[in-house]
Amino acid sequence: MNPEDLLALIRTHWPDIRRALDAERRDVLRTRLGALAAAPAEEWAVRRAAQGVKLALLDLPPGHPVRAALDGPRLAEPPWDVPAVAERARELQAWLTDTDTDTDADADTTDTEQPAHTEGILADARRRLLAEPSLSPEEVRVRCAGGAEGTTGLIHLDDPVRGPRYPAFQFAGGDGDGGGGGPLTVVCSVNRLLLAQEDPWGAADWWLSGNIWLGGAPAELLGHLPDDLLVGAASAMLEGD
């Protein structure tokens, strides 16, 4: 699959994608399509932006036809028309805007019921992630020698009761009880691969959920597996290996 095939897949299956993803996840997908549309006409930049689009679609259920296609081979190497990809992404963005406007105007009962179900699943997932050990912004600033600047590359999740929380696995030692050191370099590296600044919930879920390839949740394997293996697992997930 090349980036143009990926964009065509989204267009073909958009009604099913729209029903399967809640409004926030669709916004993440649109943000990443925007990054692809604005990517420089260089192979590495287009591939990275296209991988971001692919990552946004991995929240689709395993049986979804688009998810099944994404579980196949990684994004193909050129030759493919690198400059044309951004144009195709812009065309898709415009088409999605028009299509969603029409769909919202003509929404039926089925369309209104699905998001409520999806939002319930999303709320459960977020509660699970927020129940993990975490640090407050004040605790993080103490651990980061650079103060607020030292938080770059870290996942933070918005708790409706406690405010911003930083999952504790991202730091050396300690579990949020006042001990421990600064951010782990490998975590920041993987977070950048996972585009955690744009999608912190998706990145946190990758770290804190079971990973068949690694044999456990990546966060639990920090310090037990080589850093390169964790980075490789994130890269393989992005590229469909």
Side-chain angles (χ1 to χ4, degrees):
M1 178 187 295
N2 64 48
E4 290 186 89
D5 293 335
L6 177 63
L7 296 175
L9 191 69
I10 293 171
R11 180 162 182 160
T12 299
H13 293 278
W14 180 246
D16 288 336
I17 293 172
R18 192 179 194 277
R19 284 190 290 269
L21 297 179
D22 69 292
E24 183 173 356
R25 303 303 303 170
R26 293 197 301 270
D27 285 344
V28 170
L29 176 58
R30 289 191 184 91
T31 296
R32 294 182 178 175
L33 282 171
L36 180 56
E42 299 181 25
E43 187 268 338
W44 68 267
V46 171
R47 279 183 63 84
R48 178 171 175 79
Q51 286 170 354
V53 173
K54 185 175 179 180
L55 178 61
L57 293 168
L58 292 179
D59 283 326
L60 293 169
H64 194 282
V66 173
R67 178 60 188 272
L70 296 178
D71 287 340
R74 66 169 62 192
L75 290 173
E77 300 287 345
W80 35 265
D81 192 346
V82 172
V85 173
E87 179 61 28
R88 298 290 182 273
R90 287 191 290 271
E91 291 173 356
L92 179 59
Q93 282 185 303
W95 183 83
L96 292 181
T97 299
D98 292 342
T99 301
D100 283 355
T101 299
D102 294 341
T103 301
D104 290 340
D106 300 328
D108 58 22
T109 303
T110 301
D111 289 335
T112 58
E113 289 177 354
Q114 180 66 26
H117 173 68
T118 305
E119 287 172 8
I121 295 173
L122 178 63
D124 289 343
R126 291 189 172 184
R127 279 193 290 269
R128 173 178 64 83
L129 296 174
L130 289 171
E132 296 287 339
S134 62
L135 305 175
S136 69
E138 292 75 18
E139 291 170 319
V140 169
R141 279 193 288 271
V142 170
R143 295 199 186 198
C144 294
E149 294 180 359
T151 63
T152 302
L154 293 176
I155 297 167
H156 79 270
L157 307 176
D158 290 325
D159 188 315
V161 176
R162 298 178 294 170
R165 305 296 300 180
Y166 290 78
F169 71 82
Q170 301 178 101
F171 301 88
D175 58 0
D177 60 359
L184 294 166
T185 300
V186 64
V187 170
C188 294
S189 297
V190 170
N191 285 349
R192 284 190 288 272
L193 280 174
L194 299 176
L195 304 178
Q197 295 300 306
E198 298 174 20
D199 183 17
W201 296 100
D205 186 62
W206 183 85
W207 278 108
L208 294 166
S209 298
N211 185 294
I212 295 176
W213 196 51
L214 294 174
E220 296 175 354
L221 300 173
L222 286 164
H224 300 285
L225 290 179
D227 291 351
D228 288 350
L229 190 56
L230 293 169
V231 173
S235 297
M237 185 272 294
L238 283 168
E239 298 187 359
D241 281 354

